[in-house]
Amino acid sequence: MLEDAELLRRYAAEKSEPAFAELVRRHVNFVYACALRRVGGDRQLAEDVTQHVFTALARDAAALAQREVLSGWLFTTARNASAQVVRTERRRPALR
């Protein structure tokens, strides 16, 4: 089994969709669970956060390929994205 860093390198260098799909498969439940806790159990918001995290991963794959452990970055990104979504949702009723 390939390490996360190798999968990221393959995606960054070759745009290997199978490599990225494997990364998503490995980590999607972890990211979703982190997001779900942070957004107070709102499944739709957690899905939005999860999508944001993996979009950021794809965008920053080349820089992140140097990391040996990806889970810390995924957790931090999920936490930050969740906080942003929660702030936006709190402001939304005030804008109506």
Side-chain angles (χ1 to χ4, degrees):
M1 179 159 68
L2 294 175
E3 298 289 326
D4 290 345
E6 178 59 29
L7 291 170
L8 272 174
R9 279 190 283 279
R10 286 184 183 186
Y11 178 72
E14 306 163 13
K15 295 299 181 207
S16 171
E17 292 298 326
F20 193 76
E22 176 61 19
L23 282 168
V24 172
R25 187 194 65 73
R26 286 181 187 182
H27 299 287
V28 70
N29 291 335
F30 170 70
V31 171
Y32 178 77
C34 292
L36 189 61
R37 282 190 301 273
R38 293 288 186 160
V39 298
D42 186 318
R43 292 175 187 234
Q44 182 61 50
L45 290 179
E47 289 174 9
D48 291 346
V49 168
T50 301
Q51 184 173 4
H52 172 80
V53 170
F54 286 104
T55 300
L57 179 63
R59 183 187 60 234
D60 299 337
L64 295 170
Q66 307 308 314
R67 293 174 174 255
E68 289 300 317
V69 179
L70 186 59
S71 57
W73 183 89
L74 291 169
F75 174 79
T76 301
T77 304
R79 184 185 66 210
N80 293 342
S82 297
Q84 180 63 45
V85 165
V86 168
R87 281 192 300 272
T88 300
E89 287 299 308
R90 284 185 186 148
R91 279 189 236 132
R92 184 163 285 152
L95 297 176
R96 293 181 187 165

